[in-house]
Amino acid sequence: MQLNQLRISNFQSFGPDATTIDLEDITFLIGPNGAGKTAVLQALSRMFAFDPSLRRVKQSDFHIPLGEVAADVPDERVFWIEARFIYPELEGDDAAYDTIPPNFKHMRISDEDVASPLSLVQGL
């Protein structure tokens, strides 16, 4: 199983337009200060951290546009994080299913054209 792609919207430094991060063959994140390296790692932590306290949504997780004035503050803010996995071990006729963790065996997307990201909503 391999984490192949991450899509983020309205999370920390990522704005409302969905950002796609392809993770194929990536071993490190590099970029200037403020590029979102830490936000990417924190997004992964919110979804997959072993420690439940690291999976909790915080008010600071929500993107706040630069220059937002009090009159424009929405009643609620929404962000989403979507992780896409591939299973190269399933390719071929003799594919072994033992490599899929039990907690993922029941998860299946029946229509890849229908997005179903993990959505986290918190009223502010």
Side-chain angles (χ1 to χ4, degrees), residues 86-107:
I86 59 171
Y87 299 89
E89 63 272 17
L90 298 180
E91 295 174 6
D93 294 335
D94 60 342
Y97 295 99
D98 293 338
T99 57
I100 299 176
N103 57 319
F104 283 109
K105 284 186 179 181
H106 71 283
M107 296 180 181

Side-chain angles (χ1 to χ4, degrees), residues 13 31-37:
S13 60
N33 290 343
K37 301 177 299 290

Side-chain angles (χ1 to χ4, degrees), residues 27-124:
T27 56
F28 56 87
L29 294 171
I30 190 167
N33 290 343
K37 301 177 299 290
T38 301
V40 167
L41 297 175
Q42 287 181 343
L44 289 169
S45 182
R46 294 292 179 272
M47 294 178 70
F48 303 114
F50 182 72
D51 183 351
S53 68
L54 296 174
R55 292 192 311 262
R56 290 194 182 103
V57 174
K58 300 174 183 171
Q59 189 171 6
S60 61
D61 287 340
F62 293 86
H63 176 75
I64 299 175
L66 184 64
E68 182 178 77
V69 294
D72 295 334
V73 175
D75 291 335
E76 73 177 18
R77 296 187 190 275
V78 177
F79 74 79
W80 55 264
I81 303 166
E82 178 182 279
R84 181 178 185 178
F85 292 88
I86 59 171
Y87 299 89
E89 63 272 17
L90 298 180
E91 295 174 6
D93 294 335
D94 60 342
Y97 295 99
D98 293 338
T99 57
I100 299 176
N103 57 319
F104 283 109
K105 284 186 179 181
H106 71 283
M107 296 180 181
R108 206 171 286 149
I109 297 175
S110 57
D111 185 353
E112 84 176 34
D113 293 331
V114 177
S116 58
L118 170 64
S119 297
L120 302 172
V121 179
Q122 177 175 335
L124 296 178

